[in-house]
Amino acid sequence: MIVTVKKNKNMKIKILSLVILVLMFIAYYFYMRDEYKIPMKQKNALVKVDSMELKKKKLSKKLEKIIYKEIESSIDLLGQEFIIDVKVIRNKVLITCDPDTDISAVTIRYGSLALVKRSINNIQIAIDLAYLVNSKLDEEKEEKKRMEMKKNEK
């Protein structure tokens, strides 16, 4: 048996198929590059949103701590046994206490920020929290700057 091998001299088909194959790989590369960019952009946007939410949560926790400390200090100044009720309404703390309570310590500490209403049954003290919170936050910012300056000096 005689076997003959014929060479395919049609190089045009080989070159054309090779060019098509390379073009397919290039097209696939650009397509996948664009596909991976979209999730990365969305992921970056989500990270930015998450970081903003974390900042808001940290700030709200700071505010809450500041408010609780102010309420505690005002209750300690008045004497806990004389307190009837404590409410936070908008940006004010409303403290209701017995009519025979000595409120001079609170009026000295808070000054014009503490509004006092006396009645026969009780004494109501409204303390403005907005000014107190802003001043405490400013103090914290200044303290952080001082700490950074000390670290930079060392």
Side-chain angles (χ1 to χ4, degrees), residues 69-70 73-74 77 104-111 113 132 136:
K69 284 180 183 177
E70 286 299 322
S73 65
S74 62
L77 289 173
S104 61
V106 173
T107 55
I108 290 171
R109 177 176 176 142
Y110 296 112
L113 297 177
L132 294 173
K136 293 285 182 177

Side-chain angles (χ1 to χ4, degrees), residues 78-108:
L78 292 170
Q80 191 170 4
E81 63 273 4
F82 299 112
I83 303 297
I84 297 171
D85 191 22
V86 177
K87 294 180 186 176
V88 177
I89 302 173
R90 293 188 189 161
N91 59 351
K92 297 194 184 323
V93 175
L94 182 65
I95 302 172
T96 307
C97 50
D98 292 334
D100 58 340
T101 306
D102 182 25
I103 61 167
S104 61
V106 173
T107 55
I108 290 171

Side-chain angles (χ1 to χ4, degrees), residues 4 12 14 25 27 34 47 51 80 83 89 97 101 107 114 126-127 136 140:
T4 60
K12 290 180 183 178
K14 288 182 182 179
F25 281 122
D34 292 339
V47 168
S51 65
Q80 191 170 4
I83 303 297
I89 302 173
C97 50
T101 306
T107 55
I127 301 172
K136 293 285 182 177
E140 286 182 8

Side-chain angles (χ1 to χ4, degrees), residues 15-56:
I15 293 174
L16 184 63
S17 63
L18 185 64
V19 169
I20 290 174
L21 184 67
V22 168
L23 288 175
M24 284 175 42
F25 281 122
I26 291 172
Y28 180 73
Y29 169 76
F30 284 114
Y31 172 75
M32 291 308 289
R33 185 181 70 174
D34 292 339
E35 286 294 315
Y36 283 119
K37 278 185 181 178
I38 293 170
M40 293 299 283
K41 287 179 183 177
Q42 290 174 350
K43 192 174 185 179
N44 288 340
L46 288 175
V47 168
K48 288 178 183 177
V49 169
D50 289 342
S51 65
M52 292 296 288
E53 288 176 4
L54 286 174
K55 287 180 183 177
K56 287 181 182 178

